[in-house]
mmCIF file of all heavy atoms in Angstrom:
data_model
loop_
_atom_site.group_PDB
_atom_site.id
_atom_site.type_symbol
_atom_site.label_atom_id
_atom_site.label_comp_id
_atom_site.label_asym_id
_atom_site.label_seq_id
_atom_site.Cartn_x
_atom_site.Cartn_y
_atom_site.Cartn_z
ATOM 1 N N VAL A 1 18.773 27.533 -50.132
ATOM 2 C CA VAL A 1 18.200 27.794 -51.448
ATOM 3 C C VAL A 1 18.787 29.091 -52.001
ATOM 4 O O VAL A 1 18.713 30.126 -51.342
ATOM 5 C CB VAL A 1 16.660 27.907 -51.352
ATOM 6 C CG1 VAL A 1 16.061 28.262 -52.699
ATOM 7 C CG2 VAL A 1 16.078 26.630 -50.814
ATOM 8 N N PRO A 2 19.373 29.068 -53.215
ATOM 9 C CA PRO A 2 19.922 30.311 -53.760
ATOM 10 C C PRO A 2 18.803 31.264 -54.152
ATOM 11 O O PRO A 2 17.741 30.850 -54.612
ATOM 12 C CB PRO A 2 20.700 29.840 -54.983
ATOM 13 C CG PRO A 2 20.108 28.532 -55.347
ATOM 14 C CD PRO A 2 19.599 27.930 -54.068
ATOM 15 N N LEU A 3 19.049 32.562 -53.943
ATOM 16 C CA LEU A 3 18.054 33.583 -54.271
ATOM 17 C C LEU A 3 18.153 33.967 -55.741
ATOM 18 O O LEU A 3 19.222 33.891 -56.335
ATOM 19 C CB LEU A 3 18.304 34.825 -53.414
ATOM 20 C CG LEU A 3 18.133 34.662 -51.913
ATOM 21 C CD1 LEU A 3 18.514 35.946 -51.201
ATOM 22 C CD2 LEU A 3 16.720 34.287 -51.582
ATOM 23 N N PRO A 4 17.045 34.416 -56.318
ATOM 24 C CA PRO A 4 17.116 34.919 -57.690
ATOM 25 C C PRO A 4 18.007 36.155 -57.750
ATOM 26 O O PRO A 4 18.160 36.878 -56.764
ATOM 27 C CB PRO A 4 15.664 35.294 -58.004
ATOM 28 C CG PRO A 4 14.831 34.611 -56.987
ATOM 29 C CD PRO A 4 15.697 34.401 -55.792
ATOM 30 N N ARG A 5 18.563 36.417 -58.919
ATOM 31 C CA ARG A 5 19.472 37.553 -59.092
ATOM 32 C C ARG A 5 18.747 38.857 -58.757
ATOM 33 O O ARG A 5 17.629 39.099 -59.196
ATOM 34 C CB ARG A 5 19.975 37.577 -60.523
ATOM 35 C CG ARG A 5 21.054 38.577 -60.753
ATOM 36 C CD ARG A 5 21.521 38.474 -62.197
ATOM 37 N NE ARG A 5 22.626 39.365 -62.410
ATOM 38 C CZ ARG A 5 23.881 38.977 -62.487
ATOM 39 N NH1 ARG A 5 24.179 37.715 -62.372
ATOM 40 N NH2 ARG A 5 24.847 39.850 -62.678
ATOM 41 N N GLY A 6 19.379 39.706 -57.952
ATOM 42 C CA GLY A 6 18.814 40.996 -57.586
ATOM 43 C C GLY A 6 17.861 40.935 -56.409
ATOM 44 O O GLY A 6 17.246 41.929 -56.065
ATOM 45 N N SER A 7 17.713 39.768 -55.784
ATOM 46 C CA SER A 7 16.808 39.614 -54.649
ATOM 47 C C SER A 7 17.599 39.455 -53.363
ATOM 48 O O SER A 7 18.748 39.021 -53.376
ATOM 49 C CB SER A 7 15.916 38.395 -54.838
ATOM 50 O OG SER A 7 15.119 38.544 -55.973
ATOM 51 N N VAL A 8 16.960 39.817 -52.261
ATOM 52 C CA VAL A 8 17.554 39.672 -50.926
ATOM 53 C C VAL A 8 16.470 39.167 -49.973
ATOM 54 O O VAL A 8 15.290 39.144 -50.314
ATOM 55 C CB VAL A 8 18.131 41.015 -50.411
ATOM 56 C CG1 VAL A 8 19.293 41.482 -51.247
ATOM 57 C CG2 VAL A 8 17.066 42.079 -50.344
ATOM 58 N N ARG A 9 16.884 38.796 -48.783
ATOM 59 C CA ARG A 9 15.923 38.443 -47.738
ATOM 60 C C ARG A 9 15.645 39.708 -46.917
ATOM 61 O O ARG A 9 16.555 40.476 -46.612
ATOM 62 C CB ARG A 9 16.493 37.361 -46.832
ATOM 63 C CG ARG A 9 16.668 36.065 -47.593
ATOM 64 C CD ARG A 9 16.309 34.877 -46.726
ATOM 65 N NE ARG A 9 16.483 33.649 -47.481
ATOM 66 C CZ ARG A 9 15.512 33.080 -48.168
ATOM 67 N NH1 ARG A 9 14.328 33.609 -48.185
ATOM 68 N NH2 ARG A 9 15.734 31.977 -48.838
ATOM 69 N N ALA A 10 14.390 39.917 -46.574
ATOM 70 C CA ALA A 10 13.987 41.111 -45.841
ATOM 71 C C ALA A 10 14.552 41.071 -44.433
ATOM 72 O O ALA A 10 14.442 40.068 -43.738
ATOM 73 C CB ALA A 10 12.468 41.197 -45.799
ATOM 74 N N ASP A 11 15.167 42.176 -44.014
ATOM 75 C CA ASP A 11 15.691 42.286 -42.652
ATOM 76 C C ASP A 11 14.581 42.592 -41.665
ATOM 77 O O ASP A 11 14.704 42.321 -40.468
ATOM 78 C CB ASP A 11 16.746 43.386 -42.567
ATOM 79 C CG ASP A 11 18.033 42.995 -43.286
ATOM 80 O OD1 ASP A 11 18.280 41.793 -43.438
ATOM 81 O OD2 ASP A 11 18.783 43.906 -43.685
ATOM 82 N N TYR A 12 13.495 43.170 -42.145
ATOM 83 C CA TYR A 12 12.360 43.490 -41.286
ATOM 84 C C TYR A 12 11.087 43.440 -42.136
ATOM 85 O O TYR A 12 11.146 43.530 -43.355
ATOM 86 C CB TYR A 12 12.521 44.867 -40.642
ATOM 87 C CG TYR A 12 12.913 45.938 -41.619
ATOM 88 C CD1 TYR A 12 11.965 46.655 -42.318
ATOM 89 C CD2 TYR A 12 14.261 46.228 -41.847
ATOM 90 C CE1 TYR A 12 12.322 47.631 -43.224
ATOM 91 C CE2 TYR A 12 14.634 47.205 -42.756
ATOM 92 C CZ TYR A 12 13.659 47.896 -43.430
ATOM 93 O OH TYR A 12 14.024 48.871 -44.332
ATOM 94 N N PRO A 13 9.928 43.281 -41.507
ATOM 95 C CA PRO A 13 8.688 43.198 -42.270
ATOM 96 C C PRO A 13 8.369 44.521 -42.968
ATOM 97 O O PRO A 13 8.804 45.581 -42.538
ATOM 98 C CB PRO A 13 7.633 42.853 -41.227
ATOM 99 C CG PRO A 13 8.268 42.977 -39.910
ATOM 100 C CD PRO A 13 9.741 43.099 -40.089
ATOM 101 N N GLY A 14 7.610 44.435 -44.043
ATOM 102 C CA GLY A 14 7.244 45.638 -44.772
ATOM 103 C C GLY A 14 6.036 45.391 -45.649
ATOM 104 O O GLY A 14 5.382 44.354 -45.565
ATOM 105 N N THR A 15 5.751 46.356 -46.528
ATOM 106 C CA THR A 15 4.617 46.277 -47.429
ATOM 107 C C THR A 15 5.094 46.466 -48.856
ATOM 108 O O THR A 15 5.881 47.376 -49.141
ATOM 109 C CB THR A 15 3.570 47.358 -47.084
ATOM 110 O OG1 THR A 15 3.207 47.217 -45.717
ATOM 111 C CG2 THR A 15 2.334 47.213 -47.948
ATOM 112 N N CYS A 16 4.618 45.645 -49.764
ATOM 113 C CA CYS A 16 4.967 45.751 -51.180
ATOM 114 C C CYS A 16 4.268 46.978 -51.771
ATOM 115 O O CYS A 16 3.070 47.145 -51.584
ATOM 116 C CB CYS A 16 4.536 44.483 -51.908
ATOM 117 S SG CYS A 16 4.841 44.540 -53.678
ATOM 118 N N PRO A 17 5.007 47.851 -52.479
ATOM 119 C CA PRO A 17 4.383 49.048 -53.035
ATOM 120 C C PRO A 17 3.466 48.765 -54.236
ATOM 121 O O PRO A 17 2.627 49.593 -54.573
ATOM 122 C CB PRO A 17 5.573 49.894 -53.461
ATOM 123 C CG PRO A 17 6.650 48.913 -53.746
ATOM 124 C CD PRO A 17 6.431 47.789 -52.764
ATOM 125 N N ALA A 18 3.609 47.602 -54.870
ATOM 126 C CA ALA A 18 2.808 47.302 -56.049
ATOM 127 C C ALA A 18 1.453 46.687 -55.692
ATOM 128 O O ALA A 18 0.421 47.098 -56.219
ATOM 129 C CB ALA A 18 3.573 46.369 -56.980
ATOM 130 N N CYS A 19 1.458 45.704 -54.779
ATOM 131 C CA CYS A 19 0.205 45.009 -54.459
ATOM 132 C C CYS A 19 -0.321 45.372 -53.067
ATOM 133 O O CYS A 19 -1.405 44.924 -52.687
ATOM 134 C CB CYS A 19 0.411 43.491 -54.550
ATOM 135 S SG CYS A 19 1.565 42.827 -53.349
ATOM 136 N N PHE A 20 0.426 46.147 -52.299
ATOM 137 C CA PHE A 20 0.044 46.603 -50.956
ATOM 138 C C PHE A 20 -0.184 45.466 -49.981
ATOM 139 O O PHE A 20 -0.900 45.613 -49.002
ATOM 140 C CB PHE A 20 -1.184 47.519 -51.005
ATOM 141 C CG PHE A 20 -0.979 48.728 -51.869
ATOM 142 C CD1 PHE A 20 -1.564 48.819 -53.107
ATOM 143 C CD2 PHE A 20 -0.161 49.757 -51.432
ATOM 144 C CE1 PHE A 20 -1.362 49.925 -53.910
ATOM 145 C CE2 PHE A 20 0.052 50.866 -52.237
ATOM 146 C CZ PHE A 20 -0.554 50.955 -53.466
ATOM 147 N N LYS A 21 0.439 44.309 -50.234
ATOM 148 C CA LYS A 21 0.373 43.188 -49.290
ATOM 149 C C LYS A 21 1.636 43.192 -48.449
ATOM 150 O O LYS A 21 2.698 43.604 -48.896
ATOM 151 C CB LYS A 21 0.246 41.859 -50.036
ATOM 152 C CG LYS A 21 -1.085 41.696 -50.737
ATOM 153 C CD LYS A 21 -1.183 40.339 -51.392
ATOM 154 C CE LYS A 21 -2.510 40.198 -52.122
ATOM 155 N NZ LYS A 21 -2.599 38.932 -52.853
ATOM 156 N N ASP A 22 1.498 42.713 -47.207
ATOM 157 C CA ASP A 22 2.636 42.681 -46.290
ATOM 158 C C ASP A 22 3.544 41.505 -46.587
ATOM 159 O O ASP A 22 3.095 40.475 -47.089
ATOM 160 C CB ASP A 22 2.154 42.575 -44.838
ATOM 161 C CG ASP A 22 1.372 43.813 -44.411
ATOM 162 O OD1 ASP A 22 1.635 44.894 -44.974
ATOM 163 O OD2 ASP A 22 0.515 43.683 -43.519
ATOM 164 N N TYR A 23 4.831 41.664 -46.272
ATOM 165 C CA TYR A 23 5.773 40.552 -46.323
ATOM 166 C C TYR A 23 6.483 40.479 -44.974
ATOM 167 O O TYR A 23 6.644 41.490 -44.287
ATOM 168 C CB TYR A 23 6.762 40.662 -47.487
ATOM 169 C CG TYR A 23 7.577 41.928 -47.528
ATOM 170 C CD1 TYR A 23 8.743 42.068 -46.776
ATOM 171 C CD2 TYR A 23 7.194 42.989 -48.335
ATOM 172 C CE1 TYR A 23 9.490 43.226 -46.831
ATOM 173 C CE2 TYR A 23 7.940 44.150 -48.396
ATOM 174 C CZ TYR A 23 9.085 44.268 -47.640
ATOM 175 O OH TYR A 23 9.830 45.406 -47.680
ATOM 176 N N ASP A 24 6.847 39.264 -44.576
ATOM 177 C CA ASP A 24 7.467 39.025 -43.269
ATOM 178 C C ASP A 24 8.966 39.204 -43.321
ATOM 179 O O ASP A 24 9.564 39.247 -44.399
ATOM 180 C CB ASP A 24 7.147 37.598 -42.800
ATOM 181 C CG ASP A 24 5.663 37.385 -42.588
ATOM 182 O OD1 ASP A 24 4.969 38.359 -42.228
ATOM 183 O OD2 ASP A 24 5.200 36.237 -42.783
ATOM 184 N N LYS A 25 9.559 39.244 -42.151
ATOM 185 C CA LYS A 25 11.008 39.260 -42.052
ATOM 186 C C LYS A 25 11.535 37.939 -42.594
ATOM 187 O O LYS A 25 11.005 36.881 -42.306
ATOM 188 C CB LYS A 25 11.424 39.410 -40.587
ATOM 189 C CG LYS A 25 12.913 39.389 -40.371
ATOM 190 C CD LYS A 25 13.261 39.519 -38.902
ATOM 191 C CE LYS A 25 14.758 39.415 -38.724
ATOM 192 N NZ LYS A 25 15.139 39.501 -37.313
ATOM 193 N N GLY A 26 12.560 38.001 -43.465
ATOM 194 C CA GLY A 26 13.137 36.799 -44.047
ATOM 195 C C GLY A 26 12.530 36.421 -45.390
ATOM 196 O O GLY A 26 13.016 35.504 -46.041
ATOM 197 N N ALA A 27 11.477 37.138 -45.824
ATOM 198 C CA ALA A 27 10.873 36.851 -47.122
ATOM 199 C C ALA A 27 11.791 37.346 -48.232
ATOM 200 O O ALA A 27 12.556 38.285 -48.047
ATOM 201 C CB ALA A 27 9.514 37.531 -47.228
ATOM 202 N N VAL A 28 11.712 36.727 -49.397
ATOM 203 C CA VAL A 28 12.521 37.136 -50.550
ATOM 204 C C VAL A 28 11.879 38.377 -51.153
ATOM 205 O O VAL A 28 10.686 38.382 -51.475
ATOM 206 C CB VAL A 28 12.603 36.002 -51.589
ATOM 207 C CG1 VAL A 28 13.383 36.461 -52.806
ATOM 208 C CG2 VAL A 28 13.245 34.774 -50.990
ATOM 209 N N ILE A 29 12.660 39.455 -51.290
ATOM 210 C CA ILE A 29 12.169 40.695 -51.872
ATOM 211 C C ILE A 29 13.142 41.202 -52.920
ATOM 212 O O ILE A 29 14.305 40.784 -52.948
ATOM 213 C CB ILE A 29 11.929 41.786 -50.796
ATOM 214 C CG1 ILE A 29 13.203 42.050 -49.990
ATOM 215 C CG2 ILE A 29 10.779 41.414 -49.898
ATOM 216 C CD1 ILE A 29 13.105 43.211 -49.026
ATOM 217 N N THR A 30 12.674 42.093 -53.785
ATOM 218 C CA THR A 30 13.504 42.668 -54.832
ATOM 219 C C THR A 30 13.084 44.119 -55.031
ATOM 220 O O THR A 30 12.041 44.545 -54.522
ATOM 221 C CB THR A 30 13.393 41.862 -56.137
ATOM 222 O OG1 THR A 30 14.365 42.328 -57.041
ATOM 223 C CG2 THR A 30 12.020 41.990 -56.753
ATOM 224 N N LYS A 31 13.863 44.891 -55.799
ATOM 225 C CA LYS A 31 13.547 46.293 -56.038
ATOM 226 C C LYS A 31 12.292 46.400 -56.899
ATOM 227 O O LYS A 31 12.192 45.785 -57.951
ATOM 228 C CB LYS A 31 14.685 46.971 -56.805
ATOM 229 C CG LYS A 31 15.718 47.665 -55.941
ATOM 230 C CD LYS A 31 15.144 48.768 -55.146
ATOM 231 C CE LYS A 31 16.175 49.853 -54.908
ATOM 232 N NZ LYS A 31 15.747 50.762 -53.886
ATOM 233 N N VAL A 32 11.328 47.180 -56.451
ATOM 234 C CA VAL A 32 10.124 47.484 -57.208
ATOM 235 C C VAL A 32 10.031 49.003 -57.247
ATOM 236 O O VAL A 32 9.607 49.621 -56.280
ATOM 237 C CB VAL A 32 8.869 46.874 -56.554
ATOM 238 C CG1 VAL A 32 7.616 47.237 -57.340
ATOM 239 C CG2 VAL A 32 8.994 45.381 -56.417
ATOM 240 N N GLY A 33 10.468 49.577 -58.345
ATOM 241 C CA GLY A 33 10.507 51.050 -58.422
ATOM 242 C C GLY A 33 11.579 51.583 -57.497
ATOM 243 O O GLY A 33 12.749 51.212 -57.578
ATOM 244 N N GLU A 34 11.182 52.465 -56.596
ATOM 245 C CA GLU A 34 12.123 53.097 -55.659
ATOM 246 C C GLU A 34 12.318 52.264 -54.392
ATOM 247 O O GLU A 34 13.298 52.435 -53.686
ATOM 248 C CB GLU A 34 11.611 54.483 -55.262
ATOM 249 C CG GLU A 34 11.510 55.452 -56.413
ATOM 250 C CD GLU A 34 12.847 56.062 -56.770
ATOM 251 O OE1 GLU A 34 13.635 56.345 -55.852
ATOM 252 O OE2 GLU A 34 13.106 56.231 -57.962
ATOM 253 N N THR A 35 11.337 51.401 -54.054
ATOM 254 C CA THR A 35 11.402 50.646 -52.799
ATOM 255 C C THR A 35 11.482 49.155 -53.071
ATOM 256 O O THR A 35 11.728 48.726 -54.189
ATOM 257 C CB THR A 35 10.154 50.955 -51.934
ATOM 258 O OG1 THR A 35 8.994 50.579 -52.678
ATOM 259 C CG2 THR A 35 10.075 52.435 -51.594
#
């Protein structure tokens, strides 16, 4: 599945700075502010 422009797959799990919910490794993420 092609990713939306400016998005990548997460190399490791993390937390979204906007909604404070966790995302898993391999989830589609994009730049939100600085992170």
Side-chain angles (χ1 to χ4, degrees):
V1 176
L3 296 176
R5 188 178 184 103
S7 298
V8 295
R9 294 219 180 268
D11 289 336
Y12 47 88
T15 304
C16 177
C19 65
F20 302 106
K21 291 183 181 175
D22 295 333
Y23 56 84
D24 297 329
K25 178 181 177 181
V28 177
I29 56 174
T30 189
K31 267 298 210 194
V32 178
E34 297 280 322
T35 59

